[in-house]
Structure formats: structure tokens, C-alpha cells
Amino acid sequence: SFLGQSDMMAYLTMMALRLVELHRVLKPTGSLYLHCDPTASHYLKLVLDGVFDVRNFQSEIIWKRTTAHSSAKRYGPVHDVLFFYSRTPEFAWNAIFTPHSQDYLDSKYRYKNEEDRVYRLDNLTAAGVRHGSSGKPWRGIDPTSRGYHWKFTIEHLEELDKIGRLYWPAKGGVPQYKRYLDEVKGVALQDEWDDIPPINSQAKERLGYPTQKPEALLSRIIQASSNEGDLVLDPFCGCGTTLVAAERLKRRWVGIDVTHLAITLMQNRLQDTFGYELTPFEVEGVPKDLESARSLAQNVDRHHFEWWALGLVAARPAQDKKKGADTGVDGVFYFSDDESGMPKKGVVQVKSGHVKSGDIRDFIHVIEREKAAVGLFLTLEEPTGPMIKEAATAGFYEPEHFRGRGVPKLQILTIEALLSGHRPELPRFAPSATFKKAPRRKVEETQGNLW
């Protein structure tokens, strides 16, 4: 009633329904992290408290996502919020430590022992009176008279002194504890994270996805709140950063997204990152036969059909057709057929309606214009005889190491054939005799993923 009918109310309603389901499927030792910006964080906190119980709220993490932001009439917004809730009080937790700053190390760890081990001096007492062993006098020092108590029992103090872990001032007084640098894990991670920068324009992991998060951010969350073999679920998966981080950390994973564009990006990213070492996975909710593929194209959205079809040949979408002019290139892929380190380019065009020989003739010009080695023409309909003849006029692409053993430069592939397991003809990697050959088993495994 406070918000009324508004975009924020619509968003919170959408999120509340999903949070209820996420709470339902979360195991008792599981946790949920919700990432948002400050415009909605205070509203989402109320929803989360209602779904998860305020007693299971663990942290509000502030992530400094950018270094500076100019605003005319307000303080520069540079942070996002991550809410951390558990399903129950018994949740999985692995403490994470960050390195001490060099200034801190230089100011505190100023001593060395005979073995050149660096250490600092730390208090052996703490405020407050105790009546057990830690409150008793030791070596003529009564902590109770000073309103303190020992941090250790008397027996433990004796043992520490015996092994040389205590420092006694030359002029007398309370001893101090020697804390060696090589035994210190670092600083326990706090709820303000300013050590994970956003993805810059030159970053290797950058995919151009508007909401892409740094892999380091997701890795930290997964490491802290799960163990190897645990299941990680991202219900707003985007370009799949959570899945990559989970796969790298040996977790099982489930990713959900509403668009076939995101699904295609995820598949390609996982394959590009892990190759033949990628854990086998299945994609649900996508066409599995010709009838469902036709329904996607004709009854749902042709752009979604196009993005899905590109995933069948491991190609990335070339552009957003809703924003830019049609250049005749729907997708792009790359492959290697030599040891030059320079990948070869392939282009893809997807057709979901009637096709004719003129489409093939136009695509030949696109392949030449894009300087592509190979072009793939994906069609929902069967190609005509004139189309097949026209495609043959494009000739062959012959790798340098395979002269006379090329592949068709333009290949027509039907959706039905791709769904049946047919794949494009692409040159296999051809190592030269001057390079050491890989073991036969690994070569065979790798070849299955080159296309």
C-alpha cells in the first residue's frame, strides 16, 4: 500500500515469488546471496526478512564496483549491495582471509628471531576479571588487580614460555606474545569489499553482457558458502559467470535464464573456458526436435530461434538485430587448424522461413566481405536443388597443412540434421612435425570439441 502501483512494486512482486521458491529448494545448510543496487536494497531487505526470517540475516555486503562516479547534485554512487541470508542457523561457512596491507606489515611486524622469522608483539591480557585459571597471578603478575585477565590459562602460558613464544621486557612488566607472520592467515574478510574491481573494457573475461559480474566476486561467494561437490544455483544466470566459477571450484551447478541468447552465451563460454575437461551437462527448455524448433520460430520469437540455432554450431551472436541493421551475419565462430596462434573466422546465417538460391548467392558475398574461411547457412526448411548447386560455386577452404583436402567454403545445414547430431565440416588441428605431438587419447578427446 505504501508503494502503490509502480515499477518498484512490480519488481518486488516478481522477486518475492522467486525468493519463496528459492527458500523452498534451499537445503538446511545452504545460503542465498542477492545482488542489487541501493535504489531497491531497502525494499528487498524487507522481502528477504519476511521469506527467510530476520534471524537468518547474516550480512549486508557493500561491494565497491567502480572507483569514481561524477554526479551533479549528489555523492557519487560507487557501490552495490549483496544480502547474505542462510536457510537455518546451521549453514556452510568457510572463513576467507585477505592479505594485510604493506603499511600494516611494516608498522607491526618489526622483529626477527635468530632464524629470521618475522614477528610482532601482541597482548597477553584482555579486559575484564575472570575467576578461573586465566584470572590467577602468574610470575608475580596479578591481572585481577589491574582489571584484566590472561588470554590463556596458566598452564598454556607456561608452555608458551617454554617454547620461546613470549617476549619479556628488559625492565620488567607484563610479557607479550610473539605472533609470527608466517603463521598469520591474513585479515578475516569484512562486509566491505573494495578489492574486486569491475570488469574493464580490456578484461579477458569481458563478454559485453550489461550485467556481467567479475568471476572473482562469484568465486569468493562460492568459496565462503559451499564446499566441493555442493550444488550452486543461479536463477538469473545472464552470461554464466556463476557457472564458470562453480565449475572451476569443483561444484555442481544449475543456471537459469529466460533468453536463448543467454543460454547460447553460457554454452559457448563454458566450452571455450574448459574445453574437453568441462563436466557434461544438459540444456533443458530448448527445442529437442524439428516441431518444437518450428514452434519457437513461428509462435514465440524469431530472434530467440536464431540465438538457439547458433548454439547448435557453437557460434556467438554477431549483433542484436533489434538494434542494428542486418548485415547478413547472425553469428560468428572461430577455429584453429595450425600452430600460428591466429584463429580462423567462420560466419553463420540463420533462416527460419522460405529459402531460395538467391539467399545462398547473397551469403557467398557476405563470406567474402567478412574475409571468413567458412560460412554456415542454417535453415529450418530443406534446401532446394538450385541452392545446393549455388553453394558449390563457393568452392573449398583449404588449410595450409591440408592442401587438396579442404572443406566446403559454404555449408548448408538443416535444423533437423543438426538436431540429429550432424555437425559442420571443419579442418582438424594439424600440428607440424617440428612440434611434439600430444598423446593420442587427448588428441581424440580434443577433436570432438573443435567445431
Side-chain angles (χ1 to χ4, degrees):
S1 61
F2 173 76
L3 287 172
Q5 293 187 6
S6 63
D7 291 343
M8 181 60 72
M9 190 64 208
Y11 169 68
L12 293 175
T13 302
M14 182 272 289
M15 287 300 299
L17 293 169
R18 284 152 179 77
L19 289 169
V20 167
E21 294 302 313
L22 290 171
H23 180 269
R24 179 181 63 81
V25 301
L26 194 60
K27 64 192 297 186
T29 56
S31 300
L32 176 135
Y33 287 79
L34 190 151
H35 181 192
C36 58
D37 64 36
T39 61
S41 60
H42 41 298
Y43 297 120
L44 286 167
K45 176 70 164 60
L46 291 172
V47 177
L48 287 162
D49 285 345
V51 174
F52 280 80
D53 191 323
V54 67
R55 292 171 294 182
N56 291 320
F57 166 70
Q58 302 302 332
S59 297
E60 179 183 3
I61 301 163
I62 301 301
W63 173 45
K64 186 180 178 183
R65 58 177 172 76
T66 185
T67 53
H69 194 286
S70 298
S71 296
K73 293 184 178 181
R74 62 169 179 161
Y75 303 110
V78 297
H79 81 274
D80 279 357
V81 175
L82 290 95
F83 288 120
F84 167 29
Y85 281 77
S86 63
R87 180 69 162 80
T88 70
E90 304 300 323
F91 56 94
W93 178 251
N94 303 305
I96 293 180
F97 297 87
T98 56
H100 286 291
S101 69
Q102 192 59 47
D103 289 342
Y104 174 84
L105 296 177
D106 292 341
S107 65
K108 297 295 184 181
Y109 287 85
R110 297 180 287 115
Y111 307 96
K112 287 185 179 181
N113 67 4
E114 297 80 2
E115 300 172 343
D116 279 343
R117 291 182 70 191
V118 179
Y119 67 92
R120 61 162 294 183
L121 298 178
D122 204 353
N123 290 331
L124 277 174
T125 60
V129 174
R130 298 290 185 271
H131 300 291
S133 177
S134 63
K136 294 180 179 179
W138 180 65
R139 302 285 181 93
I141 302 170
D142 182 4
T144 301
S145 64
R146 307 183 183 200
Y148 296 117
H149 67 276
W150 301 110
K151 288 183 177 180
F152 306 99
T153 64
I154 299 298
E155 295 76 16
H156 197 178
L157 289 171
E158 289 287 354
E159 183 62 28
L160 290 173
D161 192 37
K162 187 182 299 183
I163 63 175
R165 293 300 296 259
L166 302 185
Y167 169 80
W168 293 89
K171 296 181 180 181
V174 180
Q176 293 180 284
Y177 179 66
K178 294 180 182 178
R179 191 175 297 279
Y180 286 96
L181 179 59
D182 57 19
E183 296 177 350
V184 175
K185 295 181 179 179
V187 183
L189 187 62
Q190 306 299 298
D191 62 8
E192 183 178 1
W193 297 356
D194 61 359
D195 59 335
I196 299 178
I199 301 175
N200 64 57
S201 59
Q202 304 301 316
K204 186 177 180 181
E205 64 178 289
R206 183 179 179 87
L207 297 175
Y209 208 79
T211 58
Q212 184 178 355
K213 310 297 185 299
E215 186 180 333
L217 181 69
L218 278 303
S219 295
R220 174 173 290 179
I221 291 170
I222 292 170
Q223 285 177 310
S225 293
S226 69
N227 300 300
E228 286 192 15
D230 286 350
L231 181 61
V232 176
L233 166 65
D234 187 344
F236 299 90
C237 208
C239 60
T241 303
T242 301
L243 309 189
V244 172
E247 177 77 9
R248 205 183 299 281
L249 294 170
K250 296 181 172 57
R251 271 64 163 175
R252 296 176 297 134
W253 47 262
V254 175
I256 302 172
D257 205 276
V258 71
T259 72
H260 290 280
L261 172 61
I263 293 169
T264 299
L265 282 173
M266 280 184 258
Q267 288 179 274
N268 289 333
R269 185 179 184 184
L270 287 164
Q271 186 64 61
D272 292 347
T273 303
F274 300 103
Y276 66 88
E277 296 180 346
L278 176 62
T279 304
F281 65 90
E282 295 183 7
V283 181
E284 301 293 342
V286 297
K288 301 291 186 181
D289 53 40
L290 185 61
E291 182 180 349
S292 56
R294 196 182 304 278
S295 177
L296 175 62
Q298 297 176 356
N299 302 326
V300 181
D301 188 287
R302 290 188 180 276
H303 291 291
H304 283 267
F305 170 80
E306 179 183 297
W307 294 329
W308 165 77
L310 292 173
L312 296 177
V313 293
R316 298 182 184 276
Q319 65 174 353
D320 186 345
K321 290 295 188 63
K322 295 179 180 179
K323 295 181 179 180
D326 190 341
T327 62
V329 179
D330 298 322
V332 178
F333 65 94
Y334 296 90
F335 62 94
S336 296
D337 56 17
D338 57 36
E339 292 171 330
S340 66
M342 298 297 294
K344 305 301 188 298
K345 179 182 179 181
V347 293
V348 185
Q349 189 172 107
V350 181
K351 294 292 184 181
S352 58
H354 178 69
V355 287
K356 55 189 184 301
S357 59
D359 296 324
I360 300 299
R361 192 158 44 250
D362 292 341
F363 190 43
I364 292 175
H365 294 309
V366 170
I367 296 172
E368 294 172 350
R369 186 195 69 212
E370 296 294 321
K371 296 181 173 56
V374 176
L376 306 179
F377 187 89
L378 312 187
T379 171
L380 193 58
E381 305 296 334
E382 288 291 328
T384 64
M387 289 174 62
I388 296 173
K389 290 182 180 180
E390 190 68 44
T393 65
F396 290 83
Y397 166 67
E398 296 184 346
E400 184 179 347
H401 291 286
F402 281 114
R403 291 301 181 189
R405 296 173 58 189
V407 299
K409 193 174 183 67
L410 192 159
Q411 300 175 33
I412 303 176
L413 302 166
T414 65
I415 298 300
E416 185 175 23
L418 290 170
L419 288 171
S420 299
H422 185 75
R423 291 294 176 261
E425 293 182 57
L426 295 180
R428 301 305 184 187
F429 179 70
S432 65
T434 58
F435 285 80
K436 183 179 179 180
K437 292 184 178 180
R440 179 176 178 80
R441 178 185 62 81
K442 186 158 290 188
V443 169
E444 290 173 346
E445 290 175 350
T446 305
Q447 284 180 345
N449 295 310
L450 282 177
W451 64 266

